[in-house]
Amino acid sequence: MSKIVDTISIIGVGLIGGSIGMTAKARGLARCVIGIGSSRRKLHRAKELAAVDIYTTDLLAGVAEADLVFICTPTLAVLPTIRVIAPALKEGAIVTDVGGTKSEIAKAADAALPEGRSFVGGHPMIGLEGGDVEAALPYLFLKSTYIITPTGSTDVRALDTLVNFAEAIGSQAALMSPEEHDRSAAVVSHLPHILSASMLRLAEEEQVFRLAEESFRCMAKGAVSPPETWVDICLSNKEAITAAMKQLENILAEVRKAVEEGNTKEIDQLFSEACELASEWTRKPAGNE
């Protein structure tokens, strides 16, 4: 593949950042990939794993020559990081993130950057959050959906660059507004994690883990991710998450009523519709609606 930018800087070389670096290097999408973090030991390991070419613990020095900066920090750290690096960014630099929520970041990111520097929000939808560079993979993004969230003030050149990068790492780029992203993610990502954690609490209270079958184990996997990730997401997307919760509560109330009343028709309809939807959805290739 052809080079998309000369230099990429990655702030936070964990699972996502490390996989971005590995893929960019393996596919020749940049001449140089710079890793930035607070632990020299972890950064050295990232270099050993071919996730970065060089590394530094100096945040400002690390982004000074970057054409494209990926901020792969926890969600609530994205804006503070943008504000810190802003003075060091060169003319034409593009900043993006991989955070699980977008609205709050999008509202403030442009204002935090000097003229001539651009922000474009992004979120690779790979179903994984957190983890260190040891788990990074150069094919992590293949056939996934990479959400990109431009606003009315997004620079077209910067948007095109990120779209090209997302597609070059094997993803299907999908454009949507930050608000649409957050509403959608609340339903297909954020609320399922909350439900997983809640069901685990219920199972612990009832002491029924010994009876758990594979369906429960699959659901429980959603809770196996860094707690701080989900604290950030809940705090930065509370409106969309609470709206989704209310919708689900309404559905559960209808189901509860059907069960209480022994309404065979309503119960059958619930599971029949769910079976049909699940069968249709799981037959579709990843990354497609």
Side-chain angles (χ1 to χ4, degrees):
M1 291 193 178
S2 59
K3 185 173 71 173
I4 291 179
V5 295
D6 183 77
T7 303
I8 292 173
S9 288
I10 301 171
I11 302 172
V13 193
L15 169 60
I16 304 299
S19 296
I20 289 171
M22 284 182 181
T23 309
K25 283 173 54 59
R27 297 193 170 204
L29 305 182
R31 178 189 62 82
C32 180
V33 177
I34 303 171
I36 307 170
S38 58
S39 169
R40 296 191 70 84
R41 178 183 62 80
K42 292 180 180 180
L43 289 167
H44 181 72
R45 182 57 178 154
K47 184 176 180 181
E48 289 180 334
L49 293 171
V52 300
D53 293 303
I54 58 176
Y55 61 84
T56 180
T57 58
D58 187 327
L59 189 57
L60 299 185
V63 302
E65 298 302 318
D67 301 291
L68 179 58
V69 178
F70 283 90
I71 301 178
C72 304
T73 65
T75 302
L76 292 183
V78 172
L79 277 174
T81 301
I82 291 174
R83 294 183 179 113
V84 170
I85 66 173
L89 296 169
K90 70 178 185 180
E91 178 80 22
I94 302 166
V95 179
T96 187
D97 73 315
V98 298
T101 65
K102 303 264 71 87
S103 297
E104 289 188 359
I105 295 170
K107 288 175 184 176
D110 283 338
L113 293 174
E115 186 176 351
R117 287 80 175 165
S118 305
F119 175 81
V120 187
H123 183 199
M125 302 292 288
I126 57 166
L128 297 168
E129 299 285 349
D132 61 24
V133 73
E134 297 288 347
L137 298 167
Y139 51 83
L140 185 66
F141 307 101
L142 289 178
K143 297 182 180 180
S144 66
T145 299
Y146 199 120
I147 306 297
I148 299 174
T149 55
T151 66
S153 60
T154 298
D155 180 78
V156 175
R157 177 192 64 86
L159 177 60
D160 286 344
T161 299
L162 188 56
V163 168
N164 290 338
F165 186 90
E167 294 179 345
I169 63 175
S171 296
Q172 177 180 322
L175 304 186
M176 59 178 60
S177 71
E179 294 76 19
E180 182 185 3
H181 166 276
D182 287 359
R183 289 193 300 270
S184 301
V187 173
V188 299
S189 176
H190 306 164
L191 187 52
H193 277 79
I194 293 170
L195 286 172
S196 177
S198 300
M199 287 301 298
L200 283 164
R201 176 180 289 184
L202 175 60
E204 172 66 14
E205 289 178 356
E206 295 295 322
Q207 291 294 298
V208 292
F209 279 116
R210 69 187 184 280
L211 304 177
E213 297 181 350
E214 189 58 29
S215 58
F216 186 88
R217 292 179 184 275
C218 288
M219 183 201 63
K221 290 178 182 178
V224 185
S225 56
E228 59 272 17
T229 295
W230 293 100
V231 172
D232 279 11
I233 284 174
C234 286
L235 293 178
S236 60
N237 198 29
K238 51 191 174 185
E239 289 185 8
I241 290 173
T242 54
M245 282 182 169
K246 289 175 183 176
Q247 288 180 279
L248 181 60
E249 287 166 1
N250 291 336
I251 294 170
L252 288 174
E254 293 176 3
V255 176
R256 184 180 65 221
K257 180 181 178 183
V259 172
E260 289 173 345
E261 296 176 352
N263 189 327
T264 303
K265 181 179 179 181
E266 289 294 329
I267 296 171
D268 179 75
Q269 183 177 354
L270 170 73
F271 288 105
S272 295
E273 289 177 354
C275 182
E276 184 177 344
L277 286 168
S279 297
E280 181 181 353
W281 175 67
T282 54
R283 284 196 300 265
K284 293 180 178 180
N288 288 329
E289 291 295 329

